[in-house]
Structures are given as C-alpha cells and as structure tokens.
Amino acid sequence: RDGAIEIGAGKLFALDRVYEHPQHPDFLPYLTRAMRSLKERITWNVVTEDDPTSGYLWGSGTWPRCFSVLCLDTYGMSEEAFGYIEFLLKVSRQFKQTDGLCHLFDSFTLDGTPRFGGTPRGVQLYDINGHAMKLFEIGKFYLNHRDDFYGERLRTLYYPVLRDFALWIENHANNDGLVLDVTEANTWSLGYGVFTQAPCIAALRLLAVLCGDAGQKQDAERFEALSKQLLEGLESHLYGPCGNPFLGIA
C-alpha cells in the first residue's frame, strides 16, 4: 500500500505488515487466496475461482461463491467479464462427449477429466448449483448487454451451448420439480436443496428471455415452463422444516 514497484507492465505491491485481529482470524488465508486469484488472473487472462483447499489442479471458476461475471461488469470491466464467460462456455464443451451436453463441473484436471469424488453411497459426484449460478450470471450479463456486441454473441454464436446448460438442469429434474445435485445438496437433504433449486429457477427464467430475443420461441416456452415447475417444487417440498440425516439433526 505504501509503495509500488513497476516492472514493465507488471506492478508489485507491498504491505508493511499483515493485519491480524481476533475478530478477523481469517484475514491472512483470505489475503493469500486473493493473491493466488490475482496470479491466476494474470496467467490465464480470466477471473478464476479461489481454491479454499488448494487441492484443485484446475479451478474452473464454477463455484457459486464468487459472482465474478457480475462484479466485473458492475465495475465497468465488461470486456473482461465477457472473456470469462467465453472461457466458461468453451471449457464446458469438453464434457459434451462424456454426458451429451455442454455443462460445468466444480473442478476438472487440465486434460478435461472431471474430478469425481466418492460418497459413502458410492455415487459419482456432479455439481449443478455452481453450474446454475454461472448460467444465472450469464443471463444477468445478457440483460445488461442486450443491444450490444456481447448480447448479440450470446444470442447467436453461443446459443447452442447455453441451451445445453439449461438442458443439463432439465435432465436432473424429477417429476416433483426437484433438481438432484449430488455434490452439494446430498449432505443436507439426500440430493435436493434450496442451494441448488433457487439458482436453477433464476437461471432458467433469464435464459428464457435470451431465447425469446433469439427467436427461439419453443425453447423460451420450454425453459420458462421448467422454471415454473422447479418453483412449484421449491415451494412444495423444500421450504419449511428441514434436517440433516447424516449429522443426526432432526
């Protein structure tokens, strides 16, 4: 903060000391993660997700903890926000040969292999809440740029990929209007939870607008109807009393 050293196009900042306080014991870890995110931003020219456990070989930025797209766009860095969107959409294509649809995983290795983990029930993990959160961000970004170059690219060049994103959600929804998310929600309610359901509903409603603008009336009606179905499932099955059977919480 007190000074900066410039080397070419790079700028290094130095702190006299790291501020710690009993009320904020996580300051140093968060500072470390922020610095690592900055490093990845410079290296890959995208805003990547932070990695709380330092265990990922490659962070795709698909976790819902960071609203990277909307933050960048809000503060005037729309080009960087769109670059990040393009990165996510291109990355998602490598999973089409595996699952038949373009979609996002929490994390994957450099060769594109999803990092599946094991559960006590031996279920292969897949994540939908982070996938839906990024689709939600793309939808909000689209509304901000409906009439410019970025909006036009999302409606045309990237439309098939975004459609796959919505179908990936649809493929994991059951007749009760609940989306199964094995990675995150299984700890809390056997695979179903508001944490996944809510961003799916919001993302599908936003995508339906994009579909309408793209002249894809059938898709717009399909995803709007799916959004309403998931909302009904949310209100009927997920609101109200809940527990954690795995931790013995009634």
Side-chain angles (χ1 to χ4, degrees), residues 143-162:
L143 291 184
N144 292 340
H145 297 275
R146 217 166 176 174
D147 301 321
D148 64 21
F149 167 79
Y150 303 129
E152 188 272 335
R153 294 272 284 187
L154 291 173
R155 281 193 305 272
T156 55
L157 179 63
Y158 292 116
Y159 184 86
V161 183
L162 294 173

Side-chain angles (χ1 to χ4, degrees), residues 38-72:
L38 177 62
K39 178 201 71 174
E40 292 175 350
R41 170 70 176 86
I42 294 170
T43 303
W44 301 105
N45 195 32
V46 294
V47 178
T48 54
E49 171 62 82
D50 62 21
D51 177 3
T53 63
S54 303
Y56 289 173
L57 296 179
W58 175 252
S60 67
T62 61
W63 274 19
R65 279 68 159 172
C66 292
F67 289 98
S68 310
V69 172
L70 296 182
C71 286
L72 287 168

Side-chain angles (χ1 to χ4, degrees), residues 173-179 197 229-234 237:
N174 64 19
N175 292 332
D176 291 328
L178 296 175
V179 179
Q197 197 84 4
Q229 181 188 4
L230 299 188
L231 181 59
E232 291 174 2
L234 175 71
H237 300 287

Side-chain angles (χ1 to χ4, degrees), residues 5-230:
I5 303 172
E6 295 192 28
I7 303 176
K11 185 178 290 187
L12 306 177
F13 294 90
L15 290 170
D16 288 339
R17 61 190 175 199
V18 174
Y19 294 91
E20 290 281 9
H21 190 277
Q23 291 182 337
H24 305 286
D26 292 332
F27 179 81
L28 184 57
Y30 275 95
L31 176 63
T32 303
R33 286 157 58 179
M35 295 302 290
R36 183 165 62 242
S37 293
L38 177 62
K39 178 201 71 174
E40 292 175 350
R41 170 70 176 86
I42 294 170
T43 303
W44 301 105
N45 195 32
V46 294
V47 178
T48 54
E49 171 62 82
D50 62 21
D51 177 3
T53 63
S54 303
Y56 289 173
L57 296 179
W58 175 252
S60 67
T62 61
W63 274 19
R65 279 68 159 172
C66 292
F67 289 98
S68 310
V69 172
L70 296 182
C71 286
L72 287 168
D73 195 41
T74 298
Y75 290 101
M77 292 179 278
S78 300
E79 182 179 355
E80 288 80 2
F82 187 68
Y84 181 42
I85 289 173
E86 288 191 303
F87 166 71
L88 292 177
L89 296 177
K90 290 175 182 177
V91 158
S92 71
R93 288 173 173 164
Q94 64 190 318
F95 300 120
K96 186 148 190 167
Q97 62 183 358
T98 303
D99 302 297
L101 294 169
C102 300
H103 62 90
L104 296 171
F105 273 102
D106 262 359
S107 62
F108 46 90
T109 59
L110 284 172
D111 65 358
T113 305
R115 289 198 54 172
F116 290 119
T119 70
R121 291 164 288 163
V123 179
Q124 283 189 322
L125 299 186
Y126 59 82
D127 172 80
I128 295 182
N129 67 81
H131 167 90
M133 193 65 77
K134 289 308 173 189
L135 182 57
F136 164 79
E137 282 203 283
I138 293 169
K140 294 285 280 186
F141 180 88
Y142 172 74
L143 291 184
N144 292 340
H145 297 275
R146 217 166 176 174
D147 301 321
D148 64 21
F149 167 79
Y150 303 129
E152 188 272 335
R153 294 272 284 187
L154 291 173
R155 281 193 305 272
T156 55
L157 179 63
Y158 292 116
Y159 184 86
V161 183
L162 294 173
R163 184 177 187 272
D164 273 9
F165 273 35
L167 294 178
W168 175 249
I169 295 172
E170 182 182 73
N171 280 6
H172 292 86
N174 64 19
N175 292 332
D176 291 328
L178 296 175
V179 179
L180 181 64
D181 185 338
V182 179
T183 304
E184 295 288 352
N186 68 327
T187 305
W188 299 101
S189 54
L190 300 175
Y192 304 102
V194 176
F195 187 57
T196 295
Q197 197 84 4
C200 286
I201 295 166
L204 289 167
R205 290 199 66 183
L206 290 168
L207 185 62
V209 175
L210 186 151
C211 293
D213 289 350
Q216 303 289 342
K217 181 180 178 181
Q218 190 171 6
D219 282 343
E221 293 174 350
R222 176 179 186 171
F223 297 138
E224 180 66 29
L226 178 60
S227 176
K228 291 179 180 178
Q229 181 188 4
L230 299 188

